[in-house]
Amino acid sequence: MNSNESVTLNREVEAALIPIGTKVTLQKGEQASITQSLGGSYTVVVNGNMFRIEGKDADALGIQPASKPASTGAPVAQESLVRGFWNKLGTCYDPEIPVNVVDLGLIYDCHLTSLNAGSFRADVKMTLTAPGCGMGPMLAQDVQNKLLGLEGVDDVSVELVWDPPWNQSMISEAGKLQLGLM
């Protein structure tokens, strides 16, 4: 969701400066404008600078953090995990562009390897819209964290790759529609 809701930070909170990714601490009492709240993280503007705040810190914005679904304890079939895998990747958003990493065309390769009965390793190769993007490690960590949240995924490797170089033709039709490119 995109909005321009203004809030007052109700506690200190760690944030990443967009687009360079430098970690900073925003202070209690500062005014923040929430410009994007997609995929469980928040993009805010404070004093003219843009920051990303993780979903676990939503309470600093006066928002209830999302709770993790309870484990069923049942074995997970690889086929259903693959569907869940792509659904989870679709909840990872670039903090500046309101389109998920799948529709942006940033996911180049992903596959699951069985570790043992009902336990899998996910290997992901992804790129960024620009090689110098300081948010790359944060996006890769977001992909890793979301996939580790899937029941049955016990290990995740995310590799940032640059070949082939990303370009706008890699954006899906849904992404282009969201960006007004169609």
Side-chain angles (χ1 to χ4, degrees):
M1 152 177 67
N2 291 319
S3 69
N4 274 314
E5 179 183 352
S6 184
V7 298
T8 301
L9 297 177
N10 57 31
R11 67 170 176 88
E12 285 187 351
V13 63
E14 184 179 85
L17 180 62
I18 298 171
I20 60 176
T22 303
K23 298 283 185 177
V24 299
T25 300
L26 300 177
Q27 299 301 310
K28 178 180 179 177
E30 287 187 297
Q31 287 297 121
S33 179
I34 302 172
T35 61
Q36 180 172 290
S37 58
L38 297 167
S41 64
Y42 301 88
T43 301
V44 300
V45 174
V46 176
N47 297 324
N49 295 302
M50 190 178 291
F51 301 92
R52 180 173 189 220
I53 296 176
E54 295 296 325
K56 67 180 177 57
D57 291 317
D59 65 301
L61 300 169
I63 299 169
Q64 180 70 31
S67 58
K68 280 183 85 171
S71 171
T72 64
V76 179
Q78 187 166 353
E79 298 78 32
S80 67
L81 192 54
V82 169
R83 283 190 300 279
F85 187 86
W86 285 102
N87 289 338
K88 279 293 186 185
L89 288 175
T91 68
C92 297
Y93 285 84
D94 183 294
E96 294 178 282
I97 306 169
V99 177
N100 69 64
V101 297
V102 174
D103 285 331
L104 276 175
L106 300 181
I107 305 298
Y108 283 177
D109 182 47
C110 55
H111 64 274
L112 293 172
T113 305
S114 180
L115 297 173
N116 55 49
S119 177
F120 296 90
R121 171 187 169 88
D123 290 289
V124 178
K125 288 186 180 177
M126 68 178 289
T127 195
L128 303 172
T129 57
C133 177
M135 298 304 290
M138 183 169 290
L139 282 172
Q141 186 67 54
D142 192 27
V143 166
Q144 183 179 39
N145 291 344
K146 295 230 172 136
L147 294 179
L148 282 170
L150 284 171
E151 192 166 347
V153 176
D154 294 313
D155 189 24
V156 176
S157 171
V158 179
E159 180 183 359
L160 288 174
V161 297
W162 309 109
D163 189 34
W166 181 87
N167 63 70
Q168 284 190 3
S169 71
M170 297 173 169
I171 302 173
S172 72
E173 285 189 21
K176 287 178 182 173
L177 190 60
Q178 285 177 284
L179 293 171
L181 298 174
M182 289 184 73

